[in-house]
Amino acid sequence: DIQMTQSPSSLSASVGDRVTITCQASQDISNYLNWYQQKPGKAPKLLIYDASNLETGVPSRFSGSGSGTDFTFTISSLQPEDIATYYCQQYDNLPLRLTFGGGTKVEIK
Amino acid sequence: EVQLVESGGGLVQPGRSLRLSCAASGFTFDDYAMHWVRQAPGKGLEWVSGISWNSGSIGYADSVKGRFTISRDNAKNSLYLQMNSLRAEDTALYYCAKDIGFGVGDATFDYWGQGTLVTVSS
């Protein structure tokens, strides 16, 4: 099975900072990589799909990039409402396999 | 407005069974694949199972294969998860999630329910 290594597991940054989270796949997954945001006590929310596509309604300060095995998620200017845990998720069709990264908890410094 | 409402969770003894349901509304249910994703207390997300729009394609995580069965009733706009031979490690909040496409291979979840808690303990 494909393993997803997400880092860091947590980070603390100031409002307005640029925040970067990485996800590394154990093998080539093309662009089959999504990013979700989960706020405490809430269900996850899709932010980025297929590595770099912004989901409708998601603020443009969120972005994603990468292909193959290395992926990056960026918040260009951290806002107080961005406090959450962020997960990457890969999918493989044949056979169907989905794996989430371990998550990155983002806090305000 | 898309709504996914899970039910059926509760406290169950190891080895027993439980059936989860997810009632969907606000979209054309039989146009989309659906999935179950779980989250153990204080832990990360784990995909459990997915089913295509017409039930023609189904997938399971290795951790539940042979014990859990996913199904759907498009006439009732409902998704189900039959969980047998439950173990302590199945304790989690179980989310129902809508796929962006009709096949399980799209595997991208654009709407989620609020979850139903399953606790497996004696």
Side-chain angles (χ1 to χ4, degrees):
Chain A
D1 284 1
I2 298 173
Q3 306 301 317
M4 301 302 296
T5 303
Q6 186 175 341
S7 62
S9 57
S10 65
L11 65 89
S12 181
S14 300
V15 172
D17 281 356
R18 184 180 185 88
V19 169
T20 299
I21 299 169
T22 64
C23 218
Q24 185 172 57
S26 57
Q27 64 189 68
D28 190 335
I29 59 169
S30 184
N31 67 332
Y32 299 150
L33 193 285
N34 304 319
W35 292 95
Y36 298 86
Q37 173 194 66
Q38 186 178 33
K39 296 184 177 181
K42 300 294 187 182
K45 175 186 176 182
L46 177 65
L47 299 180
I48 303 287
Y49 64 95
D50 292 346
S52 60
N53 296 296
L54 192 67
E55 173 69 348
T56 302
V58 173
S60 59
R61 64 179 179 275
F62 297 102
S63 65
S65 64
S67 66
T69 61
D70 296 304
F71 301 85
T72 300
F73 172 81
T74 300
I75 307 173
S76 61
S77 177
L78 185 67
Q79 300 302 303
E81 60 266 33
D82 299 336
I83 300 313
T85 300
Y86 294 84
Y87 294 93
C88 63
Q89 173 241 321
Q90 69 84 24
Y91 57 98
D92 193 7
N93 295 339
L94 298 169
L96 180 62
R97 288 287 185 270
L98 288 82
T99 309
F100 288 92
T104 296
K105 186 174 183 180
V106 174
E107 298 176 321
I108 295 286
K109 191 182 294 182
Chain B
E1 178 193 7
V2 172
Q3 283 200 317
L4 299 170
V5 180
E6 302 94 336
S7 61
L11 175 64
V12 61
Q13 293 180 327
R16 303 299 290 265
S17 298
L18 209 57
R19 189 194 196 206
L20 306 183
S21 299
C22 172
S25 61
F27 65 103
T28 305
F29 183 71
D30 54 11
D31 275 353
Y32 296 94
M34 297 293 295
H35 298 259
W36 290 99
V37 177
R38 69 185 180 183
Q39 187 168 34
K43 302 297 184 181
L45 301 168
E46 180 188 16
W47 174 75
V48 173
S49 182
I51 185 168
S52 64
W53 68 283
N54 63 351
S55 304
S57 182
I58 286 174
Y60 297 98
D62 288 342
S63 58
V64 306
K65 196 175 295 182
R67 300 188 299 123
F68 290 11
T69 302
I70 192 171
S71 63
R72 64 189 295 162
D73 185 336
N74 287 344
K76 295 183 177 180
N77 289 351
S78 293
L79 175 72
Y80 306 101
L81 186 68
Q82 177 67 42
M83 305 186 295
N84 298 332
S85 304
L86 282 162
R87 306 167 179 167
E89 54 265 36
D90 296 318
T91 294
L93 187 64
Y94 284 74
Y95 292 105
C96 164
K98 173 187 168 293
D99 203 310
I100 63 170
F102 58 85
V104 287
D106 293 301
T108 297
F109 315 132
D110 58 352
Y111 288 95
W112 300 61
Q114 287 306 303
T116 186
L117 182 62
V118 173
T119 303
V120 184
S121 174
S122 54

